[in-house]
Amino acid sequence: MTSKSSFLDALRTQTLSSANVEERVEVNQRHLIDKILARYSAEFVVYRELMQNADDAGAKRVEIFFESESPNSNEATPNFESKVIRVIFKNDGKDFEQADWSRLKKIAEGNPDENKIGAFGVGFYSLFSICEEPFVSSGKECMAFYWDGSQLCAKRTQVSEEQQQNKGWTTFFLDLREPMDMVDMDKFGPFIARSLGFTGNLHDVTVYLDDHRLLNINKTIRGSRPMTIPDTMEITSPLKIFTLQTVDLQNVQMDSTRLMISEQPREVRTIESRIFLRTASGKLDVNVSEKDAAEMERTTKKYPPKHTTLQLLYHGHDETETETETIFKDLIPFPEQGKIFIGFPTHQTTGFCGHVAGRFIPTVERENLDFVIKCLQDWNHELLSMAGLLSRMMYEDELAQIGRQYDKTILPHSKSYEPEDEGIAKAQEALEKRALHALKSFQLHQSTPEPLVGEYIDIYFFQMSKLGLSVLSSHGVKELNEVRIPDEAMSEFMKNLPILPTSVYDGSQEFMSKLETDKKVQRISFHDVLKELESRTLTLTQMVAMLRWLVDHKSRKGISDADIQTFLEKAQVYSGDSPRSLSTFKWFVNRIIGEGDVPLPPKTLPYNITSTFEGDELQTISSVWHELSLHEWATFVAKEPDFETSPDFAEKVLHVLSRGWPQISGDSQKAIASYLATKKCIPTKDGMMIPKETYLKSVTLFSDLLVMEFKEQPLDELLLAIGTRQSVEPRLVLNRLVDAGDWDHMQLITYLTSIRNTLSEEKITELRGTPMFPRVSPAGATTTQRVNRHPANALYAPTKTHIDLVLPVIEWKSDWDEALDEARLLFDLGLGKQPRMEDLLERATPSYVQAIREKALQHFIDNFTSHYSNNYNPNTEVAFLPTTDGKFQTPLGCFSNAQCSVMGFPVLQQNMKIHAALLHIKENPSPDRLLDRLLESPLTSKDKAQQVFEYLLSVQASFLDKQWETLKAKKFIPLDDTGKTMADPQSCYFYREDLPYRDLLNTVDFGPHANRFLKACGVKENPSPIDLAQLVARSPQKFYDHEGVDRYRSILRQIATHLDAITTNESLLDELRRSPFLLGEITIQNEASGSSESMADSRQDMNMGPVVKYDLALASNIYLVDDCVLQQIFNPLCAPMEELLESLYESLGSAWISEKVEDIYEHKGQPRTTDRSYALQARIEERAPLLLGTHSTNRLTFDLDWLTTKLKVYEVQQIQLRRKFIPTRVTKSEDATVCIVKDRKEIHYLMIKDQAEMDYFDIADALAKLLLKRKKLNDSIWWTNLLSSSLENLKRKGFQVDRILNAK
């Protein structure tokens, strides 16, 4: 560091003591007072201005050196206690040019470049707040400032090659006016970090104290993606000044390395930290009226740019939860407000938790926005509106990511009947936190010091989108107008309505209250409840919660009778196996019946619902509902089959009646007793008996008496009332049986019935398989003497239904009565009471006549719910369902939607469609089956294709991403009615009259509905630039023949315009390099006789002069023209001389013609110095600054110093030039007037031919080839003018030649 300081000291001393003409600093006193002396009070403003200038100069790195009075040069730690006496600031940006040095001496002139941040021209003079006489070194020049009394002066001089120790760096050498304490790194570090937040070029800053590196901060872009701008976004600002064109989202990583010194014990350590940020960068087109532009230029010394960039920095929830090192704290505003950045941060906050950077116009000190001057106010207002748009896009992008994550992780598990998984719960919680963070990040707070800033951003945050704000709801991400504020009392039953998660609402109540006031979000309404009821059937738990809410809501706010009736009609709850509307119910039960676990009448509300309500509460809901009386219930339950067949069931019923018996009236007791007296409801050892056939347990006279067998005996008073005996009565003895082996089966049944109570289960099992019973002979069967007998379980009861269905029925010689003991015994032995499902389905197939088929199918449907639903399997292979084509199909083999027949799928008959859901018949084939059919059976005509595509449109909501991907790649679209020419969607475009290149594309039009399906498959409205490039590359001659030369050249211009996008597509770029699609030009000399043959690919004038012929070729076979002479000499196939097309050709492999020509000069005669050579040498040295001053250093082969000191001019007798075109090895020779040669020592000589007049064009052309890395024709012409014109003429044309004239 000491060596650097001493070198710079010496260099400054040399500059100040040089004999160069003194230049006085020009000061505009008014601007000095207005813009400097009263401003720039912010901390670290010097470093801010220097870093801004570095970024404007394209610097990537900055180094800041603090030199102290007593450096610890040989110590491991710097001396923080020593005073700082000097600051050196370095950046590796572009060296100062003439205009920069000139502006450095002028206050308030400003940088006129509209693409630079600096506006007022006073930033450099902030250095004088700490330094009395700054010194600046850049490139090959330096400038020292000093005071002459009260006048500020400056001297500028050249820096020799030996003195350029800081080559490639621009350095500001600042001796402090007074020694100062070392800057507080706890403040200076965060300042550096936030200053790097939005720099366009600068990405690395290092801070030193003496020879010790204290801090390094590095910014890296870790990936970028374009954000889609939806059509629903308003992309133009209110006054039409700005229009958003593109938005790129970048992931930014910032790393810091800081030297830390602990005191006890004293220890040196390095702390590394890292932060991740997201920035949205919007490209804006600018349109300012000429009047406002002129006013802005007058005020800011800058003309408004044609294009500008607006950036937004957002820190997501995941990054916020990670611990952030203090040095980056200012880059993460959450939960505080962000700042407005104008290159670097200002005092102005944004009103939300994000930083915004853009070309805002500040007040002179660049700490606040200017809202005073009208044109500047409009500019800032418009730019803030675009900040509102950009923040809305960032918010919507964040919510879209949350939505996709929700759909992927939460939605597949969102069914209410699925138990909540812990992993899913954690994922839900994480998404809710992320969504809440986004809401809170973009919530408006009053910005400071100017509240209008936050208000403007907030207004346009909402106004720039036609859609409602996206929020996370219970059903994923939805628009805010579709979502409701949560209500704890309704959370149990409002499942289909999108509702804000409680955590999101609780965490953003202030924001939500504002949105509710603005009518952007609503609370759950009674109408919402009705819609919920329309959408699904509630569970018992949900219905209880809803009714509880209804009672409370009606008591507080009141509900009309009409609304209550609508509610009851729409509210459905499962009663048994099927859902029912609450309006169909009539009763509710008390605890005596409800807690008995017994069947209830169909119109009875489930006890699980009503148990938590009082009777008057239920009647408040509906005046129709009343309590089910014990008499009503007994009448119902006694009709249940189990009441007379199941002892447990009968005992349960009788116990319920026992509990309520004492509480009912005598009339009710008599009515119940009379009804039960005829029911076989008393269990005995012989089975269920009617009460009068049984005895109380206390009757034990004989062992074979039918004594009731209850596990816990019901109330005796009840049993006696229904007819149970208290004593034994005589009864008849069984009739005698006939001789063994000769029993009539009717006698056998009577006998078995009589001894039923003695039969064990094993015996019953044995009897079930014994063939004992004859069947009724089928109609038309031959009668034989021998009686065939069958087991009871192979036969059916002799009912009309069974007979009509041609089922095997038992032979019965009397009237059949299922209530008989014999019938019950036969049922116990397996006699069929209902047709078995397999027998019914078999009879519904084509194997049986139509009458039987129809009866079997109708019986199956009529009794499906009560008898067959539990065992029904839609996967059955029995084809029993009639379809519209006259055939029969299995349930999975046909469909209910008639439209699917267009693809050849069987459709259920019309009269059967009402049963489709019952039989699990799907409405449409699955997406996979639809795709298989579409691809396996090609569409043979456009009409057929239109019908199929229109049908597929109606079912496309069921398609998954994998099916869409398959469709995009398959050729299934017919291009004609032959069925032979098929195309895939991605190669097709929708037909319209104004479609570009319509005749060259695969165009389709199947009508608006079919086209909507094809658009989803990938058919496009217009070819994109990428598409166009690909199409032309694959069929260049086809396009050329169709479009002609001029229109084909326009196509190439379109492709060239989108070269940036094309170069990111490696496969397309490779295809373009391998395709002969580029247009080349070659000049042919026309024969004098001419030709009558038409030349479609050539152009000639009316005088039959040279003809320009066009041809298509590979890029490698076409040459770019940077030397028209070489083009005329060798006449190769050349690219059009358009800068736009030249970029395209060069990127694909075309070479510049000058690179392919080798020049070999030979001179005759001894080189000598003459008056002419001296004069030319002097003229070149004199005008060297003019020749090289307009060219950046990266375009020069040699610099100004070399041109004025190293190049020598000689005169020779003759110069011969031999040119060789390397690709064809063709050689051309000619006399030349000028050449430049170099000897073995690499010394260059300019040779001129001995002649009367100097050819300045040849001289300028030779110099341009030598000094410029790539010469263009305009360079030679421009230098010819500079060399040949007099200085007076050049001055009159505006060239800065005063110094040259003064020197003369």
Side-chain angles (χ1 to χ4, degrees):
M1 181 59 65
T2 304
S3 62
K4 292 179 183 177
S5 300
S6 59
F7 159 72
L8 292 171
D9 275 327
L11 184 58
R12 179 172 59 182
T13 302
Q14 174 187 332
T15 301
L16 293 174
S17 60
S18 68
N20 291 345
V21 177
E22 178 179 286
E23 302 176 17
R24 291 199 171 270
V25 176
E26 300 176 17
V27 178
N28 185 311
Q29 296 292 342
R30 182 175 298 277
H31 286 174
L32 178 65
I33 294 171
D34 290 347
K35 297 187 177 182
I36 297 179
L37 300 182
R39 307 292 179 92
Y40 285 100
S41 59
E43 192 175 23
F44 307 133
V45 66
V46 172
Y47 309 98
R48 184 194 72 184
E49 294 297 327
L50 291 175
M51 288 172 68
Q52 179 64 70
N53 291 340
D55 190 54
D56 284 345
K60 304 294 184 185
R61 294 179 297 158
V62 159
E63 293 181 350
I64 304 173
F65 299 85
F66 294 92
E67 292 185 9
S68 67
E69 293 176 326
S70 305
N72 287 349
S73 301
N74 299 320
E75 298 291 335
T77 61
N79 184 2
F80 283 101
E81 302 302 320
S82 179
K83 295 286 187 179
V84 174
I85 59 173
R86 177 175 293 152
V87 176
I88 300 176
F89 184 100
K90 299 171 57 180
N91 73 73
D92 65 352
K94 185 177 66 173
D95 292 339
F96 274 26
E97 296 178 350
Q98 173 62 37
D100 299 314
W101 290 114
S102 177
R103 278 195 300 273
L104 204 60
K105 300 180 298 171
K106 297 179 181 180
I107 301 175
E109 180 172 293
N111 189 339
D113 187 350
E114 67 268 19
N115 293 313
K116 307 301 183 187
I117 294 293
F120 299 100
V122 295
F124 170 78
Y125 286 83
S126 65
L127 273 60
F128 288 87
S129 64
I130 62 171
C131 172
E132 191 72 16
E133 297 180 344
F135 174 68
V136 183
S137 173
S138 180
K140 297 180 179 180
E141 295 185 80
C142 57
M143 180 176 286
F145 289 81
Y146 64 98
W147 290 96
D148 183 5
S150 61
Q151 179 65 43
L152 182 64
C153 304
K155 280 191 176 184
R156 174 179 163 202
T157 188
Q158 297 286 322
V159 181
S160 67
E161 286 284 339
E162 295 75 21
Q163 294 173 315
Q164 293 184 36
Q165 292 188 9
N166 292 304
K167 191 171 184 179
W169 291 81
T170 294
T171 304
F172 296 80
F173 189 78
L174 311 175
D175 281 333
L176 301 186
R177 182 179 294 106
E178 296 179 357
M180 71 175 188
D181 293 333
M182 177 59 188
V183 296
D184 185 351
M185 291 304 294
D186 288 337
K187 295 181 179 178
F188 195 66
F191 161 77
I192 296 294
R194 66 176 178 266
S195 296
L196 280 174
F198 290 102
T199 53
N201 300 298
L202 186 60
H203 63 72
D204 188 278
V205 177
T206 307
V207 179
Y208 295 85
L209 175 56
D210 296 322
D211 294 320
H212 300 276
R213 190 176 83 161
L214 303 183
L215 174 68
N216 172 259
I217 300 179
N218 180 269
K219 179 174 73 172
T220 308
I221 305 299
R222 293 296 186 192
S224 174
R225 65 174 174 87
M227 291 176 68
T228 302
I229 304 176
D231 294 338
T232 56
M233 290 290 184
E234 177 57 59
I235 61 173
T236 302
S237 60
L239 298 181
K240 313 299 182 184
I241 291 179
F242 299 104
T243 300
L244 180 65
Q245 296 297 331
T246 61
V247 181
D248 289 321
L249 190 64
Q250 295 179 332
N251 294 318
V252 179
Q253 174 184 323
M254 295 188 72
D255 299 274
S256 73
T257 304
R258 182 179 176 186
L259 184 71
M260 297 293 289
I261 303 173
S262 58
E263 293 298 330
Q264 297 297 333
R266 188 168 181 80
E267 182 181 29
V268 179
R269 57 194 176 96
T270 300
I271 295 179
E272 297 181 351
S273 58
R274 175 173 292 172
I275 186 176
F276 296 92
L277 305 165
R278 271 181 280 170
T279 62
S281 181
K283 303 297 183 184
L284 307 178
D285 285 347
V286 182
N287 180 25
V288 181
S289 68
E290 292 183 4
K291 178 182 177 182
D292 287 345
E295 180 65 13
M296 290 176 66
E297 184 178 26
R298 184 193 68 78
T299 305
T300 66
K301 309 308 175 189
K302 269 192 192 181
Y303 200 85
K306 295 296 182 183
H307 310 281
T308 190
T309 300
L310 183 67
Q311 293 177 287
L312 172 70
L313 186 148
Y314 174 75
H315 197 61
H317 174 264
D318 296 337
E319 295 92 349
T320 303
E321 286 196 329
T322 59
E323 185 174 351
T324 305
E325 212 275 332
T326 307
I327 201 167
F328 293 127
K329 62 181 180 180
D330 291 339
L331 282 173
I332 308 174
F334 189 89
E336 305 300 328
Q337 297 185 46
K339 294 290 185 70
I340 295 291
F341 280 63
I342 309 176
F344 291 87
T346 66
H347 287 163
Q348 180 63 54
T349 64
T350 60
F352 68 98
C353 303
H355 298 306
V356 175
R359 198 161 299 283
F360 296 95
I361 300 179
T363 52
V364 175
E365 73 279 11
R366 291 233 304 273
E367 294 297 336
N368 303 304
L369 272 61
D370 195 331
F371 286 101
V372 177
I373 300 174
K374 180 65 169 60
C375 64
L376 306 189
Q377 178 186 19
D378 289 345
W379 174 278
N380 286 332
H381 183 181
E382 291 283 273
L383 201 52
L384 288 172
S385 74
M386 302 310 284
L389 169 61
L390 198 60
S391 61
R392 178 62 178 271
M393 290 186 63
M394 176 70 87
Y395 173 84
E396 294 292 344
D397 184 82
E398 174 73 358
L399 265 291
Q401 294 183 48
I402 294 172
R404 287 190 289 272
Q405 192 66 22
Y406 183 97
D407 292 346
K408 179 179 178 181
T409 60
I410 308 301
L411 191 59
H413 307 277
S414 62
K415 293 183 179 178
S416 59
Y417 56 79
E418 291 182 352
E420 186 171 1
D421 180 83
E422 181 179 355
I424 300 302
K426 288 184 178 179
Q428 175 84 26
E429 181 183 5
L431 290 178
E432 290 179 7
K433 288 182 178 179
R434 187 174 173 184
L436 175 60
H437 177 84
L439 274 173
K440 296 177 71 174
S441 294
F442 291 95
Q443 177 183 352
L444 171 66
H445 302 279
Q446 181 171 315
S447 60
T448 59
E450 179 53 67
L452 284 176
V453 171
E455 292 173 8
Y456 283 156
I457 293 176
D458 183 68
I459 289 171
Y460 294 108
F461 177 85
F462 289 98
Q463 286 188 1
M464 297 302 264
S465 175
K466 300 175 184 176
L467 301 180
L469 189 70
S470 295
V471 292
L472 178 64
S473 74
S474 55
H475 288 265
V477 173
K478 303 287 184 183
E479 287 186 49
L480 193 59
N481 57 352
E482 300 175 19
V483 181
R484 299 292 182 266
I485 293 173
D487 186 334
E488 183 63 28
M490 307 172 78
S491 62
E492 181 63 33
F493 58 88
M494 295 300 289
K495 300 298 183 183
N496 285 351
L497 179 69
I499 298 174
L500 279 170
T502 303
S503 63
V504 175
Y505 176 74
D506 290 344
S508 59
Q509 279 198 19
E510 180 181 353
F511 193 19
M512 285 300 158
S513 297
K514 178 182 179 297
L515 294 174
E516 185 179 4
T517 301
D518 296 338
K519 301 188 182 304
K520 290 185 171 65
V521 66
Q522 304 175 24
R523 297 187 178 273
I524 303 173
S525 66
F526 186 76
H527 178 70
D528 291 328
V529 175
L530 295 181
K531 287 184 65 176
E532 181 80 16
L533 294 174
E534 287 178 344
S535 65
R536 65 188 184 91
T537 300
L538 273 61
T539 65
L540 293 177
T541 303
Q542 292 170 348
M543 184 56 74
V544 170
M546 180 173 282
L547 292 176
R548 178 59 63 191
W549 167 83
L550 185 64
V551 171
D552 178 69
H553 187 75
K554 187 175 182 181
S555 65
R556 289 187 297 106
K557 298 186 178 181
I559 306 176
S560 68
D561 293 341
D563 285 341
I564 286 290
Q565 184 60 33
T566 303
F567 175 91
L568 296 175
E569 290 173 357
K570 294 181 182 297
Q572 293 196 348
V573 68
Y574 273 96
S575 177
D577 295 330
S578 59
R580 289 183 53 188
S581 170
L582 289 183
S583 64
T584 64
F585 290 102
K586 179 180 179 182
W587 297 292
F588 56 89
V589 296
N590 56 33
R591 285 186 174 84
I592 293 174
I593 300 175
E595 294 178 355
D597 189 25
V598 291
L600 300 173
K603 293 188 177 181
T604 305
L605 285 161
Y607 182 69
N608 289 343
I609 293 178
T610 60
S611 60
T612 60
F613 294 87
E614 296 297 333
D616 57 348
E617 290 181 319
L618 294 171
Q619 289 179 325
T620 297
I621 298 173
S622 173
S623 59
V624 176
W625 295 348
H626 67 269
E627 185 177 330
L628 180 68
S629 70
L630 202 61
H631 178 204
E632 290 171 318
W633 174 74
T635 303
F636 161 77
V637 79
K639 296 177 183 178
E640 288 288 318
D642 285 349
F643 184 62
E644 294 187 86
T645 58
S646 171
D648 291 339
F649 182 81
E651 182 175 344
K652 186 186 295 185
V653 171
L654 293 175
H655 275 297
V656 172
L657 291 172
S658 297
R659 288 197 296 271
W661 192 259
Q663 302 171 24
I664 62 177
S665 66
D667 290 341
S668 295
Q669 289 178 347
K670 290 178 182 179
I672 293 172
S674 174
Y675 190 79
L676 297 185
T678 60
K679 301 294 182 180
K680 295 180 179 181
C681 58
I682 306 299
T684 69
K685 62 183 179 180
D686 291 340
M688 299 296 290
M689 300 295 177
I690 59 176
K692 67 180 181 179
E693 296 176 345
T694 63
Y695 298 86
L696 294 177
K697 278 189 175 183
S698 58
V699 181
T700 58
L701 182 60
F702 300 109
S703 59
D704 60 344
L705 291 178
L706 294 178
V707 177
M708 61 180 61
E709 294 184 348
F710 290 110
K711 296 175 183 176
E712 182 179 348
Q713 186 165 314
L715 187 67
D716 284 353
E717 183 181 354
L718 167 64
L719 295 174
L720 293 175
I722 64 176
T724 303
R725 299 177 185 273
Q726 289 180 304
S727 60
V728 179
E729 293 183 359
R731 53 180 304 180
L732 298 175
V733 180
L734 293 173
N735 292 329
R736 226 172 134 175
L737 299 177
V738 295
D739 293 337
D742 194 23
W743 291 352
D744 178 75
H745 71 279
M746 297 297 292
Q747 292 177 324
L748 176 61
I749 293 171
T750 302
Y751 171 73
L752 291 175
T753 303
S754 68
I755 63 170
R756 174 66 179 86
N757 60 330
T758 65
L759 297 175
S760 64
E761 280 303 315
E762 291 77 12
K763 190 62 178 178
I764 292 294
T765 302
E766 180 182 349
L767 291 173
R768 286 193 182 109
T770 303
M772 299 181 291
F773 309 106
R775 60 169 287 187
V776 174
S777 298
T782 303
T783 305
T784 62
Q785 299 241 340
R786 183 178 177 184
V787 178
N788 292 323
R789 298 183 183 274
H790 309 274
N793 58 13
L795 302 173
Y796 286 94
T799 63
K800 184 177 185 304
T801 298
H802 297 157
I803 294 170
D804 290 345
L805 291 172
V806 197
L807 293 168
V809 299
I810 192 171
E811 184 178 310
W812 197 255
K813 297 180 179 180
S814 62
D815 292 337
W816 175 258
D817 186 356
E818 291 185 358
L820 293 176
D821 291 342
E822 289 83 352
R824 289 192 286 117
L825 173 63
L826 288 171
F827 291 146
D828 287 344
L829 295 179
L831 185 70
K833 197 172 185 180
Q834 277 284 340
R836 287 181 282 275
M837 182 168 63
E838 56 270 21
D839 291 336
L840 272 181
L841 297 185
E842 180 188 356
R843 281 157 176 75
T845 64
S847 302
Y848 288 79
V849 298
Q850 181 176 351
I852 295 177
R853 289 200 308 264
E854 291 176 352
K855 289 179 181 178
L857 187 57
Q858 190 61 47
H859 185 88
F860 177 66
I861 291 172
D862 291 344
N863 296 275
F864 183 84
T865 302
S866 58
H867 291 95
Y868 304 116
S869 59
N870 290 337
N871 297 321
Y872 175 70
N873 184 356
N875 292 318
T876 178
E877 296 181 358
V878 180
F880 68 93
L881 293 169
T883 56
T884 55
D885 57 2
K887 299 179 182 179
F888 288 79
Q889 291 288 342
T890 65
L892 297 184
C894 61
F895 307 94
S896 63
N897 185 358
Q899 293 182 6
C900 71
S901 64
V902 74
M903 297 187 72
F905 290 101
V907 176
L908 191 66
Q909 276 189 1
Q910 181 66 32
N911 63 325
M912 288 294 296
K913 287 186 178 180
I914 58 174
H915 309 301
L918 186 74
L919 300 178
H920 302 285
I921 297 170
K922 296 181 179 179
E923 182 179 7
N924 294 288
S926 68
D928 285 336
R929 290 188 66 180
L930 290 172
L931 261 65
D932 290 343
R933 182 65 57 88
L934 177 66
L935 301 178
E936 292 171 1
S937 303
L939 302 170
T940 56
S941 70
K942 290 187 175 181
D943 289 341
K944 179 69 173 178
Q946 179 174 351
Q947 296 173 16
V948 170
F949 296 157
E950 287 177 349
Y951 165 65
L952 291 176
L953 173 68
S954 68
V955 297
Q956 71 174 19
S958 62
F959 284 18
L960 302 177
D961 289 346
K962 64 178 183 178
Q963 278 115 21
W964 288 118
E965 291 302 319
T966 300
L967 285 171
K968 287 179 182 178
K970 296 296 183 180
K971 294 183 178 182
F972 65 87
I973 303 175
L975 300 179
D976 54 35
D977 285 326
T978 66
K980 297 180 179 178
T981 307
M982 311 294 281
D984 62 272
Q986 296 185 101
S987 67
C988 293
Y989 304 87
F990 291 118
Y991 176 88
R992 68 174 193 273
E993 287 296 330
D994 61 344
L995 179 65
Y997 323 115
R998 182 185 65 200
D999 296 336
L1000 301 173
L1001 304 175
N1002 292 333
T1003 59
V1004 295
D1005 185 0
F1006 292 95
H1009 298 295
N1011 286 353
R1012 283 172 56 198
F1013 170 72
L1014 292 177
K1015 185 173 184 180
C1017 295
V1019 177
K1020 305 169 186 173
E1021 299 286 350
N1022 292 292
S1024 67
I1026 301 297
D1027 293 337
L1028 183 60
Q1030 199 168 53
L1031 290 167
V1032 173
R1034 293 175 181 175
S1035 303
Q1037 196 63 45
K1038 179 179 176 183
F1039 269 80
Y1040 180 75
D1041 293 342
H1042 187 272
E1043 297 295 315
V1045 173
D1046 293 336
R1047 293 174 65 182
Y1048 191 82
R1049 187 185 287 112
S1050 296
I1051 293 174
L1052 294 180
R1053 293 189 188 108
Q1054 290 185 53
I1055 296 173
T1057 302
H1058 297 86
L1059 183 59
D1060 289 345
I1062 291 173
T1063 54
T1064 62
N1065 189 331
E1066 285 297 332
S1067 62
L1068 175 57
L1069 199 61
D1070 185 59
E1071 187 173 358
L1072 292 173
R1073 291 190 181 112
R1074 291 184 285 103
S1075 172
F1077 81 98
L1078 291 177
L1079 187 65
E1081 302 176 354
I1082 189 168
T1083 303
I1084 330 173
Q1085 295 301 324
N1086 189 37
E1087 296 294 338
S1089 60
S1091 173
S1092 61
E1093 183 180 352
S1094 174
M1095 300 184 66
D1097 58 349
S1098 64
R1099 300 285 175 87
Q1100 66 185 57
D1101 60 28
M1102 296 299 293
N1103 296 321
M1104 303 299 287
V1107 177
V1108 178
K1109 184 180 180 182
Y1110 299 93
D1111 201 2
L1112 301 182
L1114 295 170
S1116 58
N1117 293 334
I1118 300 177
Y1119 300 93
L1120 301 165
V1121 178
D1122 58 348
D1123 192 321
C1124 293
V1125 174
L1126 297 179
Q1127 179 193 22
Q1128 295 170 6
I1129 292 173
F1130 296 106
N1131 196 23
L1133 191 63
C1134 295
M1137 295 179 66
E1138 298 181 23
E1139 186 173 351
L1140 181 63
L1141 293 181
E1142 287 174 347
S1143 299
L1144 173 64
Y1145 282 56
E1146 185 175 18
S1147 67
L1148 297 178
S1150 293
W1152 294 92
I1153 191 170
S1154 64
E1155 297 173 352
K1156 297 297 181 179
V1157 175
E1158 179 181 0
D1159 288 347
I1160 303 171
Y1161 288 96
E1162 295 179 357
H1163 61 83
K1164 294 182 180 180
Q1166 182 67 29
R1168 62 191 184 279
T1169 56
T1170 64
D1171 292 343
R1172 292 176 73 244
S1173 68
Y1174 277 129
L1176 179 58
Q1177 175 101 39
R1179 179 167 289 224
I1180 292 172
E1181 292 177 2
E1182 173 187 78
R1183 306 189 182 195
L1186 299 178
L1187 296 174
L1188 301 184
T1190 58
H1191 297 285
S1192 61
T1193 55
N1194 59 4
R1195 199 185 167 203
L1196 297 178
T1197 306
F1198 299 103
D1199 60 13
L1200 180 66
D1201 180 67
W1202 184 92
L1203 180 58
T1204 56
T1205 59
K1206 303 295 184 183
L1207 183 67
K1208 305 300 179 183
V1209 181
Y1210 290 95
E1211 191 172 21
V1212 294
Q1213 181 181 353
Q1214 188 176 358
I1215 301 173
Q1216 183 75 25
L1217 170 60
R1218 184 160 51 90
R1219 293 187 172 101
K1220 179 181 178 182
F1221 189 49
I1222 298 172
T1224 62
R1225 300 180 180 274
V1226 173
T1227 302
K1228 303 284 186 179
S1229 298
E1230 62 181 48
D1231 289 335
T1233 62
V1234 177
C1235 72
I1236 296 180
V1237 297
K1238 63 179 178 180
D1239 60 15
R1240 294 179 180 178
K1241 296 182 180 180
E1242 298 295 317
I1243 298 176
H1244 290 75
Y1245 301 95
L1246 174 65
M1247 306 289 191
I1248 57 175
K1249 183 180 178 182
D1250 182 8
Q1251 60 181 16
E1253 185 177 355
M1254 197 82 69
D1255 192 331
Y1256 282 107
F1257 178 82
D1258 287 351
I1259 295 169
D1261 192 61
L1263 288 173
K1265 288 180 180 178
L1266 174 66
L1267 298 174
L1268 300 179
K1269 293 180 180 178
R1270 163 128 335 123
K1271 176 194 76 69
K1272 295 185 179 180
L1273 178 61
N1274 287 341
D1275 296 323
S1276 300
I1277 296 173
W1278 180 253
W1279 285 12
T1280 298
N1281 185 33
L1282 293 177
L1283 290 172
S1284 61
S1285 299
S1286 67
L1287 292 177
E1288 289 74 11
N1289 284 338
L1290 291 176
K1291 181 176 181 180
R1292 190 175 68 255
K1293 295 175 183 178
F1295 289 94
Q1296 298 293 328
V1297 296
D1298 289 342
R1299 185 183 237 173
I1300 300 174
L1301 291 171
N1302 293 337
K1304 290 191 171 207

